[in-house]
Amino acid sequence: MPEILRLTDLIAAGKLAGKRVFIRADLNVPRDETGRITDDTRIRASLPAITTALAAGAAVMVTSHLGRPVEGQLKPEDSLTAVAQRLSELLGRTVPLIRDWVETGVKLAPGQLVLLENCRANPGEKANADALAQKMAALCDIYINDAFGTAHRAEASTHGIAKYAPIAAAGPLLAGELSALKRALEQPKRPLVAIVGGSKVSTKLTILKSLAHKVDQLIVGGGIANTFMLAAGLPIGKSLAEASLVSEAKAIIELMQQRGAAVPIPLDVVTAKTLNATAQPEIKSAHTVAEDDLILDLGPASMGQLTALLAKAGTIIWNGPVGVFELDAFGHGTQALAQAIADSAGFSIAGGGDTLAAIAKYGVSEQIGYISTGGGAFLEFLEGKTLPAVEALKTCLESVD
């Protein structure tokens, strides 16, 4: 992890009192068809940066993206109105929502807090336009990036502004994410076990290849496991798989074997003839899958094998379910996996939308070492890619002496 300045460093050095602080948070929360917030996890995760900056005597402005607005055309459904209301409830104070803040500026006194309307509605945001970044930077004395979920994107509010702000630093959420990922990937306690689930090998091929060079056990699930079963010469019936990537799966298996590591191939699976809520599950040996079978989960013998591996793990990285856990009949594998990770004495880090949904469904959030709020950024870090927003903070490292 690159060395970066942190909000806690600035507070320790007494740098925030009386200063205008611009916090780029990730408040991109899910909403229902009426606009009601259905999960406020990201808002809650952003509170420490806001409250500590206010407590240190700063004038605080916060912005975030929400959805995918058309730049220059802020529609009601793209507004942060519901976020401002929820933020007000959580903080016990009214949080005004400011529109047109780039051009008109922001009047703010120390101890005050405002929410700046959807930053992705500003023309030039996604293109990381210098002109927009300079206007944003002119609003503040200190820029804080606390939006790990957007760290893989070079945009004006995540990257450009850091180049022009007098001081740029990482908030507690961003810093915590980087520390957890560093602990899991750069300084892991062995054995290091990674679980990668999902429907397609193609969408996670670079992650699988990257992890194959690092981990001791690479557990695969979902459609990805089906492709690896094909690579191992096992029948998969009419299950979701990518036959064109069997050679890639074989190469990953061989690479792991050369390192003395392994990709555990399923011993048994849960099948059905159709995929729906009334489908009848049937447990079958991995060698006896019929031509008209759909593999929808890992079986008990497979999970016994995986549970034993996780019990011995020093570090666990989890991204993706091992079955169609949305249907209870095919969720036993993912539930057993979640519980095994929760029971493990090793350090665990989990990320990705489906993974977070599984953690919530099976009630193990308190037993996971670290839960990442950043889907795309989490995956790109696992791939070994540079995160532009983090690199921007590294470039802008300031001394606080």
Side-chain angles (χ1 to χ4, degrees), residues 297-319:
D297 197 8
L298 295 181
S302 296
M303 292 315 304
Q305 173 185 232
L306 301 184
T307 297
L309 293 175
L310 293 168
K312 299 175 183 177
T315 306
I316 300 168
I317 300 168
W318 180 18
N319 174 247

Side-chain angles (χ1 to χ4, degrees), residues 204-215:
K204 295 185 177 178
L205 182 59
T206 51
I207 298 170
L208 292 166
K209 286 182 175 179
S210 177
L211 291 174
H213 290 277
K214 303 171 183 176
V215 304

Side-chain angles (χ1 to χ4, degrees), residues 109-343:
Q112 291 184 327
L113 166 67
V114 297
L115 182 63
L116 309 180
E117 190 57 278
N118 197 328
C119 59
R120 281 205 186 146
N122 296 318
E125 168 66 11
K126 295 185 76 173
N128 197 21
D130 273 349
L132 176 59
Q134 289 168 350
K135 288 179 180 179
M136 289 180 175
L139 296 174
C140 67
D141 302 304
I142 298 170
Y143 166 68
I144 302 296
N145 190 334
D146 205 33
F148 178 76
T150 63
H152 59 308
R153 302 186 188 279
E155 298 180 340
S157 68
T158 63
H159 184 272
I161 186 176
K163 296 188 296 182
Y164 300 109
I167 298 176
L173 177 60
L174 177 63
E177 294 266 5
L178 294 174
S179 294
L181 284 163
K182 178 180 179 181
R183 179 177 174 184
L185 286 173
E186 298 178 21
Q187 302 170 337
K189 181 180 178 182
R190 301 280 179 174
L192 171 57
V193 179
I195 302 110
V196 180
S199 59
K200 295 183 178 181
V201 171
S202 55
T203 58
K204 295 185 177 178
L205 182 59
T206 51
I207 298 170
L208 292 166
K209 286 182 175 179
S210 177
L211 291 174
H213 290 277
K214 303 171 183 176
V215 304
D216 302 300
Q217 299 285 342
L218 180 57
I219 296 170
V220 290
I224 293 174
N226 297 340
T227 302
F228 275 80
M229 287 177 67
L230 277 180
L234 292 169
I236 64 165
K238 57 180 183 179
S239 306
L240 176 66
E242 293 173 287
S244 63
L245 293 178
V246 165
S247 60
E248 298 279 7
K250 287 181 177 179
I252 290 171
I253 292 172
E254 291 170 3
L255 172 60
M256 293 284 286
Q257 290 175 339
Q258 290 168 8
R259 294 181 48 244
V263 180
I265 302 300
L267 302 174
D268 61 351
V269 292
V270 180
T271 68
K273 302 303 181 184
T274 58
L275 174 54
N276 54 50
T278 60
Q280 294 299 309
E282 184 177 358
I283 298 170
K284 291 191 174 184
S285 163
H287 294 275
T288 61
V289 175
E291 291 184 1
D292 61 344
D293 277 337
L294 288 170
I295 299 173
L296 302 176
D297 197 8
L298 295 181
S302 296
M303 292 315 304
Q305 173 185 232
L306 301 184
T307 297
L309 293 175
L310 293 168
K312 299 175 183 177
T315 306
I316 300 168
I317 300 168
W318 180 18
N319 174 247
V322 296
V324 187
F325 76 98
E326 295 87 351
L327 299 178
D328 289 344
F330 307 105
H332 298 297
T334 300
Q335 182 175 14
L337 180 76
Q339 193 58 55
I341 295 171
D343 293 340

Side-chain angles (χ1 to χ4, degrees), residues 13 15 398-401:
K15 297 285 187 178
E398 295 271 350
S399 171
V400 293
D401 294 334

